């Protein structure tokens, strides 16, 4: 059973609600921005709900540093997240096609809405592992692309 559809949506929701982003008083020279290009979007309705995680424990347990909701109007969308501290991060996302705020699943718990992970990492019987999804963020501007739905 793909036990993680609820877990994935819960972790992304937790990241979106988290208030532990980089301090507002951080020196701009010591911060990073991350532009995420979302590709392979098949359904141009709804919202992509994206969570950014700063460590393996947070990635597994839902303690995201920030997140974003991206309204979908095209097959490719872009979002920029500013004020991050340079370091190692990973992203989880799902495309909330029906905009109900939850990842829809079938009776077996498998997602019926598209999802994705940084590095286009793939999970086996659950979300992608931190080791496969993590990437480094340096000071200044950074870019990352994710295929939605794989």
């Amino acid at each position: 059973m793909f036990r993680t559809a609820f877990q994935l949506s819960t972790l992304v929701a937790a990241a979106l609600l988290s208030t532990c982003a980089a301090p507002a008083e951080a020196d701009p020279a010591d911060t990073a921005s991350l532009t995420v290009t979302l590709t392979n979007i098949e359904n141009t309705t709804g919202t992509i709900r994206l969570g950014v995680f700063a460590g393996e424990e947070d990635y597994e347990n839902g303690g995201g540093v920030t997140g974003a909701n991206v309204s979908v109007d095209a097959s490719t969308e872009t979002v920029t997240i500013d004020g991050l501290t340079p370091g190692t991060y990973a992203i989880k996302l799902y495309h909330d096609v029906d905009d109900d705020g939850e990842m829809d699943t079938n009776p077996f718990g498998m997602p019926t809405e598209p999802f994705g992970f940084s590095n286009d990492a793939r999970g086996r019987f659950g979300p992608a592992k931190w080791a496969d999804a993590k990437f480094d963020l340096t000071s200044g501007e950074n870019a990352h692309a994710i295929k939605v739905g794989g």
Side-chain angles (χ1 to χ4, degrees), residues 7-70:
Q7 182 183 30
L8 176 64
S9 63
T10 301
L11 295 175
V12 172
L16 295 173
L17 296 174
S18 176
T19 58
C20 56
E25 298 176 23
D27 181 352
D30 294 333
T31 63
S33 69
L34 174 61
T35 299
V36 181
T37 302
L38 306 166
T39 64
N40 200 47
I41 302 169
E42 293 182 8
N43 189 323
T44 57
T45 63
T47 303
I48 293 177
R49 303 186 190 282
L50 179 146
V52 180
F53 301 86
E56 184 171 7
E57 184 176 331
D58 292 341
Y59 181 80
E60 298 294 332
N61 298 314
V65 294
T66 192
N69 289 322
V70 181

Side-chain angles (χ1 to χ4, degrees), residues 67-115:
N69 289 322
V70 181
S71 293
V72 177
D73 297 318
S75 62
T76 299
E77 296 290 347
T78 303
V79 61
T80 299
I81 300 169
D82 294 314
L84 294 168
T85 302
T88 303
Y89 291 85
I91 296 172
K92 294 180 183 183
L93 64 83
Y94 72 98
H95 183 176
D96 188 2
V97 175
D98 59 7
D99 251 343
D100 67 353
E102 298 177 7
M103 176 182 260
D104 296 341
T105 61
N106 69 18
F108 301 104
M110 294 182 67
T112 58
E113 292 182 306
F115 57 91

